[in-house]
Amino acid sequence: MGLFSKFSAKIKQLFSSRKIDEAFFEELEDTLIEGDLGARLTDEISETLRKEAKAKGITEASELQNLMKNLLSEYVHSYDVSLKEGLNVFMILGVNGVGKTTSIAKMAKWYTKKGNKVLLAAADTFRAAAVDQLDIHADRLGMRIVKQKMGSDPGAVVYDAVTSAIAQGDDLVLADTAGRMHNKENLMRELQKMDKIVKGRGVKEENYKKFIVIDATTGQNGLSQAMLFNQAVKLDGVILTKYDSAAKGGALVQIGKNLGLPIAFVGTGEGYDDIHPFDKEEYLNALIGLDKEIYSNTLKTQ
């Protein structure tokens, strides 16, 4: 099955087999809302397509498919995942259960394969399982990890990690962070404290980035999570997990439209190698049914 298989198949069928009439636009709107694009954005797209069809005398729905792709393209952006010169620090954020720690391990391997020296920091000290899980990944991947016992100050872990990375000449610190969402004020204070620590250790501002991990199958919840974390500490990009046929895909457009956040990586499976830099063109083609290839397989051959 390809990416967004059910959603994109429905869109593809709608554009390929219909004349343009009111029933077409009603079905398009229903499909876009089902695909997590949201009511407001759906109305905007539908209205623009209606005007374009009328202005240009377009009668075949297939002629509107590329126009819809161009409309969505305004809101979707790729993040340049290449590292800056000197030490880079990526703070990885997200609620518990979205695949945050596993994504860190995948990113660690991806950057290591590119020839970079990577250090892991187990700064989610509120859950013993999180520290243990990252420790297991570090062992399996043969990577250094900085950790402390459960309940330790996460800021101290980040401080030690950055200090160690500078001493060892590492290129990247990947820091796991707590995913507790029940108290935004505590979350904000915790993240802002880490901010000060990283910057206080001399890491350049352009080398310090904060990414939120979102489960691509959660739809509107993913947008809500991104908005909350972005309020707490300004985010630089998004990492998507479970990015396969189960995902509807539209929430990603909403994240781009509402927050202007680019997508850095997408996780496409369970293995350490199942992570790839986000490809905007492939995403848009898959989302609206222009892509004939199975997306996950296409990625793995790159």
Side-chain angles (χ1 to χ4, degrees), residues 163-180:
T163 301
S164 177
I166 292 171
Q168 295 291 326
D170 291 331
D171 301 298
L172 174 64
V173 172
L174 290 170
D176 196 4
T177 62
R180 301 174 306 159

mmCIF file with all atom_site columns, all heavy atoms in Angstrom, residues 163-180:
data_model
loop_
_atom_site.group_PDB
_atom_site.id
_atom_site.type_symbol
_atom_site.label_atom_id
_atom_site.label_alt_id
_atom_site.label_comp_id
_atom_site.label_asym_id
_atom_site.label_entity_id
_atom_site.label_seq_id
_atom_site.pdbx_PDB_ins_code
_atom_site.Cartn_x
_atom_site.Cartn_y
_atom_site.Cartn_z
_atom_site.occupancy
_atom_site.B_iso_or_equiv
_atom_site.pdbx_formal_charge
_atom_site.auth_seq_id
_atom_site.auth_comp_id
_atom_site.auth_asym_id
_atom_site.auth_atom_id
_atom_site.pdbx_PDB_model_num
ATOM 1   N N   . THR A 1 163 ? 28.659 19.766 27.120 1.00 0.00 ? 163 THR A N   1
ATOM 2   C CA  . THR A 1 163 ? 30.048 19.857 27.587 1.00 0.00 ? 163 THR A CA  1
ATOM 3   C C   . THR A 1 163 ? 30.882 18.696 27.049 1.00 0.00 ? 163 THR A C   1
ATOM 4   O O   . THR A 1 163 ? 32.002 18.883 26.556 1.00 0.00 ? 163 THR A O   1
ATOM 5   C CB  . THR A 1 163 ? 30.098 19.855 29.128 1.00 0.00 ? 163 THR A CB  1
ATOM 6   O OG1 . THR A 1 163 ? 29.329 20.964 29.614 1.00 0.00 ? 163 THR A OG1 1
ATOM 7   C CG2 . THR A 1 163 ? 31.528 19.981 29.623 1.00 0.00 ? 163 THR A CG2 1
ATOM 8   N N   . SER A 1 164 ? 30.320 17.483 27.120 1.00 0.00 ? 164 SER A N   1
ATOM 9   C CA  . SER A 1 164 ? 31.009 16.291 26.617 1.00 0.00 ? 164 SER A CA  1
ATOM 10  C C   . SER A 1 164 ? 31.196 16.352 25.104 1.00 0.00 ? 164 SER A C   1
ATOM 11  O O   . SER A 1 164 ? 32.254 16.004 24.577 1.00 0.00 ? 164 SER A O   1
ATOM 12  C CB  . SER A 1 164 ? 30.214 15.039 26.990 1.00 0.00 ? 164 SER A CB  1
ATOM 13  O OG  . SER A 1 164 ? 30.829 13.878 26.461 1.00 0.00 ? 164 SER A OG  1
ATOM 14  N N   . ALA A 1 165 ? 30.166 16.805 24.409 1.00 0.00 ? 165 ALA A N   1
ATOM 15  C CA  . ALA A 1 165 ? 30.232 16.891 22.946 1.00 0.00 ? 165 ALA A CA  1
ATOM 16  C C   . ALA A 1 165 ? 31.313 17.869 22.494 1.00 0.00 ? 165 ALA A C   1
ATOM 17  O O   . ALA A 1 165 ? 32.039 17.610 21.523 1.00 0.00 ? 165 ALA A O   1
ATOM 18  C CB  . ALA A 1 165 ? 28.876 17.307 22.387 1.00 0.00 ? 165 ALA A CB  1
ATOM 19  N N   . ILE A 1 166 ? 31.417 18.985 23.196 1.00 0.00 ? 166 ILE A N   1
ATOM 20  C CA  . ILE A 1 166 ? 32.453 19.970 22.863 1.00 0.00 ? 166 ILE A CA  1
ATOM 21  C C   . ILE A 1 166 ? 33.836 19.358 23.084 1.00 0.00 ? 166 ILE A C   1
ATOM 22  O O   . ILE A 1 166 ? 34.740 19.495 22.245 1.00 0.00 ? 166 ILE A O   1
ATOM 23  C CB  . ILE A 1 166 ? 32.272 21.246 23.720 1.00 0.00 ? 166 ILE A CB  1
ATOM 24  C CG1 . ILE A 1 166 ? 30.993 21.979 23.307 1.00 0.00 ? 166 ILE A CG1 1
ATOM 25  C CG2 . ILE A 1 166 ? 33.485 22.160 23.579 1.00 0.00 ? 166 ILE A CG2 1
ATOM 26  C CD1 . ILE A 1 166 ? 30.604 23.129 24.219 1.00 0.00 ? 166 ILE A CD1 1
ATOM 27  N N   . ALA A 1 167 ? 33.984 18.658 24.213 1.00 0.00 ? 167 ALA A N   1
ATOM 28  C CA  . ALA A 1 167 ? 35.277 18.050 24.543 1.00 0.00 ? 167 ALA A CA  1
ATOM 29  C C   . ALA A 1 167 ? 35.686 16.965 23.551 1.00 0.00 ? 167 ALA A C   1
ATOM 30  O O   . ALA A 1 167 ? 36.868 16.810 23.227 1.00 0.00 ? 167 ALA A O   1
ATOM 31  C CB  . ALA A 1 167 ? 35.223 17.460 25.952 1.00 0.00 ? 167 ALA A CB  1
ATOM 32  N N   . GLN A 1 168 ? 34.704 16.231 23.047 1.00 0.00 ? 168 GLN A N   1
ATOM 33  C CA  . GLN A 1 168 ? 34.990 15.103 22.151 1.00 0.00 ? 168 GLN A CA  1
ATOM 34  C C   . GLN A 1 168 ? 34.941 15.485 20.667 1.00 0.00 ? 168 GLN A C   1
ATOM 35  O O   . GLN A 1 168 ? 35.175 14.646 19.809 1.00 0.00 ? 168 GLN A O   1
ATOM 36  C CB  . GLN A 1 168 ? 33.976 13.971 22.404 1.00 0.00 ? 168 GLN A CB  1
ATOM 37  C CG  . GLN A 1 168 ? 34.074 13.335 23.784 1.00 0.00 ? 168 GLN A CG  1
ATOM 38  C CD  . GLN A 1 168 ? 35.350 12.541 23.965 1.00 0.00 ? 168 GLN A CD  1
ATOM 39  O OE1 . GLN A 1 168 ? 35.862 11.938 23.026 1.00 0.00 ? 168 GLN A OE1 1
ATOM 40  N NE2 . GLN A 1 168 ? 35.895 12.548 25.177 1.00 0.00 ? 168 GLN A NE2 1
ATOM 41  N N   . GLY A 1 169 ? 34.591 16.722 20.380 1.00 0.00 ? 169 GLY A N   1
ATOM 42  C CA  . GLY A 1 169 ? 34.531 17.154 18.986 1.00 0.00 ? 169 GLY A CA  1
ATOM 43  C C   . GLY A 1 169 ? 33.366 16.563 18.216 1.00 0.00 ? 169 GLY A C   1
ATOM 44  O O   . GLY A 1 169 ? 33.465 16.297 17.013 1.00 0.00 ? 169 GLY A O   1
ATOM 45  N N   . ASP A 1 170 ? 32.248 16.366 18.912 1.00 0.00 ? 170 ASP A N   1
ATOM 46  C CA  . ASP A 1 170 ? 31.064 15.812 18.243 1.00 0.00 ? 170 ASP A CA  1
ATOM 47  C C   . ASP A 1 170 ? 30.418 16.847 17.335 1.00 0.00 ? 170 ASP A C   1
ATOM 48  O O   . ASP A 1 170 ? 30.592 18.061 17.515 1.00 0.00 ? 170 ASP A O   1
ATOM 49  C CB  . ASP A 1 170 ? 30.044 15.335 19.285 1.00 0.00 ? 170 ASP A CB  1
ATOM 50  C CG  . ASP A 1 170 ? 30.527 14.117 20.059 1.00 0.00 ? 170 ASP A CG  1
ATOM 51  O OD1 . ASP A 1 170 ? 31.315 13.331 19.500 1.00 0.00 ? 170 ASP A OD1 1
ATOM 52  O OD2 . ASP A 1 170 ? 30.115 13.951 21.229 1.00 0.00 ? 170 ASP A OD2 1
ATOM 53  N N   . ASP A 1 171 ? 29.643 16.334 16.375 1.00 0.00 ? 171 ASP A N   1
ATOM 54  C CA  . ASP A 1 171 ? 28.956 17.211 15.433 1.00 0.00 ? 171 ASP A CA  1
ATOM 55  C C   . ASP A 1 171 ? 27.515 17.491 15.840 1.00 0.00 ? 171 ASP A C   1
ATOM 56  O O   . ASP A 1 171 ? 26.950 18.520 15.478 1.00 0.00 ? 171 ASP A O   1
ATOM 57  C CB  . ASP A 1 171 ? 28.949 16.583 14.029 1.00 0.00 ? 171 ASP A CB  1
ATOM 58  C CG  . ASP A 1 171 ? 30.349 16.332 13.509 1.00 0.00 ? 171 ASP A CG  1
ATOM 59  O OD1 . ASP A 1 171 ? 31.088 17.313 13.346 1.00 0.00 ? 171 ASP A OD1 1
ATOM 60  O OD2 . ASP A 1 171 ? 30.694 15.152 13.269 1.00 0.00 ? 171 ASP A OD2 1
ATOM 61  N N   . LEU A 1 172 ? 26.913 16.544 16.572 1.00 0.00 ? 172 LEU A N   1
ATOM 62  C CA  . LEU A 1 172 ? 25.481 16.660 16.859 1.00 0.00 ? 172 LEU A CA  1
ATOM 63  C C   . LEU A 1 172 ? 25.137 16.034 18.206 1.00 0.00 ? 172 LEU A C   1
ATOM 64  O O   . LEU A 1 172 ? 25.543 14.910 18.504 1.00 0.00 ? 172 LEU A O   1
ATOM 65  C CB  . LEU A 1 172 ? 24.675 15.960 15.751 1.00 0.00 ? 172 LEU A CB  1
ATOM 66  C CG  . LEU A 1 172 ? 23.161 15.855 15.945 1.00 0.00 ? 172 LEU A CG  1
ATOM 67  C CD1 . LEU A 1 172 ? 22.506 17.236 15.967 1.00 0.00 ? 172 LEU A CD1 1
ATOM 68  C CD2 . LEU A 1 172 ? 22.542 15.004 14.835 1.00 0.00 ? 172 LEU A CD2 1
ATOM 69  N N   . VAL A 1 173 ? 24.359 16.768 19.005 1.00 0.00 ? 173 VAL A N   1
ATOM 70  C CA  . VAL A 1 173 ? 23.737 16.227 20.214 1.00 0.00 ? 173 VAL A CA  1
ATOM 71  C C   . VAL A 1 173 ? 22.249 16.095 19.936 1.00 0.00 ? 173 VAL A C   1
ATOM 72  O O   . VAL A 1 173 ? 21.596 17.081 19.540 1.00 0.00 ? 173 VAL A O   1
ATOM 73  C CB  . VAL A 1 173 ? 23.954 17.146 21.436 1.00 0.00 ? 173 VAL A CB  1
ATOM 74  C CG1 . VAL A 1 173 ? 23.110 16.643 22.623 1.00 0.00 ? 173 VAL A CG1 1
ATOM 75  C CG2 . VAL A 1 173 ? 25.419 17.197 21.820 1.00 0.00 ? 173 VAL A CG2 1
ATOM 76  N N   . LEU A 1 174 ? 21.705 14.907 20.123 1.00 0.00 ? 174 LEU A N   1
ATOM 77  C CA  . LEU A 1 174 ? 20.272 14.677 19.997 1.00 0.00 ? 174 LEU A CA  1
ATOM 78  C C   . LEU A 1 174 ? 19.718 14.475 21.404 1.00 0.00 ? 174 LEU A C   1
ATOM 79  O O   . LEU A 1 174 ? 20.034 13.480 22.065 1.00 0.00 ? 174 LEU A O   1
ATOM 80  C CB  . LEU A 1 174 ? 19.988 13.440 19.137 1.00 0.00 ? 174 LEU A CB  1
ATOM 81  C CG  . LEU A 1 174 ? 20.289 13.571 17.641 1.00 0.00 ? 174 LEU A CG  1
ATOM 82  C CD1 . LEU A 1 174 ? 20.205 12.210 16.960 1.00 0.00 ? 174 LEU A CD1 1
ATOM 83  C CD2 . LEU A 1 174 ? 19.304 14.547 16.988 1.00 0.00 ? 174 LEU A CD2 1
ATOM 84  N N   . ALA A 1 175 ? 18.923 15.413 21.876 1.00 0.00 ? 175 ALA A N   1
ATOM 85  C CA  . ALA A 1 175 ? 18.436 15.375 23.253 1.00 0.00 ? 175 ALA A CA  1
ATOM 86  C C   . ALA A 1 175 ? 16.970 14.980 23.323 1.00 0.00 ? 175 ALA A C   1
ATOM 87  O O   . ALA A 1 175 ? 16.102 15.644 22.738 1.00 0.00 ? 175 ALA A O   1
ATOM 88  C CB  . ALA A 1 175 ? 18.642 16.736 23.913 1.00 0.00 ? 175 ALA A CB  1
ATOM 89  N N   . ASP A 1 176 ? 16.704 13.890 24.031 1.00 0.00 ? 176 ASP A N   1
ATOM 90  C CA  . ASP A 1 176 ? 15.326 13.469 24.311 1.00 0.00 ? 176 ASP A CA  1
ATOM 91  C C   . ASP A 1 176 ? 14.800 14.350 25.440 1.00 0.00 ? 176 ASP A C   1
ATOM 92  O O   . ASP A 1 176 ? 15.534 14.713 26.363 1.00 0.00 ? 176 ASP A O   1
ATOM 93  C CB  . ASP A 1 176 ? 15.328 11.997 24.738 1.00 0.00 ? 176 ASP A CB  1
ATOM 94  C CG  . ASP A 1 176 ? 13.948 11.373 24.682 1.00 0.00 ? 176 ASP A CG  1
ATOM 95  O OD1 . ASP A 1 176 ? 13.003 12.062 24.245 1.00 0.00 ? 176 ASP A OD1 1
ATOM 96  O OD2 . ASP A 1 176 ? 13.812 10.194 25.062 1.00 0.00 ? 176 ASP A OD2 1
ATOM 97  N N   . THR A 1 177 ? 13.523 14.722 25.380 1.00 0.00 ? 177 THR A N   1
ATOM 98  C CA  . THR A 1 177 ? 12.949 15.570 26.422 1.00 0.00 ? 177 THR A CA  1
ATOM 99  C C   . THR A 1 177 ? 11.621 15.004 26.896 1.00 0.00 ? 177 THR A C   1
ATOM 100 O O   . THR A 1 177 ? 10.999 14.193 26.211 1.00 0.00 ? 177 THR A O   1
ATOM 101 C CB  . THR A 1 177 ? 12.710 17.009 25.912 1.00 0.00 ? 177 THR A CB  1
ATOM 102 O OG1 . THR A 1 177 ? 11.774 16.966 24.823 1.00 0.00 ? 177 THR A OG1 1
ATOM 103 C CG2 . THR A 1 177 ? 14.007 17.649 25.453 1.00 0.00 ? 177 THR A CG2 1
ATOM 104 N N   . ALA A 1 178 ? 11.174 15.444 28.068 1.00 0.00 ? 178 ALA A N   1
ATOM 105 C CA  . ALA A 1 178 ? 9.922  14.944 28.646 1.00 0.00 ? 178 ALA A CA  1
ATOM 106 C C   . ALA A 1 178 ? 8.732  15.332 27.780 1.00 0.00 ? 178 ALA A C   1
ATOM 107 O O   . ALA A 1 178 ? 8.678  16.433 27.231 1.00 0.00 ? 178 ALA A O   1
ATOM 108 C CB  . ALA A 1 178 ? 9.753  15.494 30.057 1.00 0.00 ? 178 ALA A CB  1
ATOM 109 N N   . GLY A 1 179 ? 7.773  14.424 27.689 1.00 0.00 ? 179 GLY A N   1
ATOM 110 C CA  . GLY A 1 179 ? 6.594  14.670 26.859 1.00 0.00 ? 179 GLY A CA  1
ATOM 111 C C   . GLY A 1 179 ? 5.339  14.927 27.660 1.00 0.00 ? 179 GLY A C   1
ATOM 112 O O   . GLY A 1 179 ? 4.238  14.698 27.178 1.00 0.00 ? 179 GLY A O   1
ATOM 113 N N   . ARG A 1 180 ? 5.500  15.391 28.873 1.00 0.00 ? 180 ARG A N   1
ATOM 114 C CA  . ARG A 1 180 ? 4.314  15.648 29.702 1.00 0.00 ? 180 ARG A CA  1
ATOM 115 C C   . ARG A 1 180 ? 3.582  16.891 29.200 1.00 0.00 ? 180 ARG A C   1
ATOM 116 O O   . ARG A 1 180 ? 4.180  17.921 28.984 1.00 0.00 ? 180 ARG A O   1
ATOM 117 C CB  . ARG A 1 180 ? 4.724  15.868 31.159 1.00 0.00 ? 180 ARG A CB  1
ATOM 118 C CG  . ARG A 1 180 ? 5.464  14.703 31.773 1.00 0.00 ? 180 ARG A CG  1
ATOM 119 C CD  . ARG A 1 180 ? 5.959  15.078 33.148 1.00 0.00 ? 180 ARG A CD  1
ATOM 120 N NE  . ARG A 1 180 ? 6.750  16.319 33.087 1.00 0.00 ? 180 ARG A NE  1
ATOM 121 C CZ  . ARG A 1 180 ? 6.979  17.098 34.134 1.00 0.00 ? 180 ARG A CZ  1
ATOM 122 N NH1 . ARG A 1 180 ? 6.471  16.784 35.302 1.00 0.00 ? 180 ARG A NH1 1
ATOM 123 N NH2 . ARG A 1 180 ? 7.716  18.194 34.021 1.00 0.00 ? 180 ARG A NH2 1
#
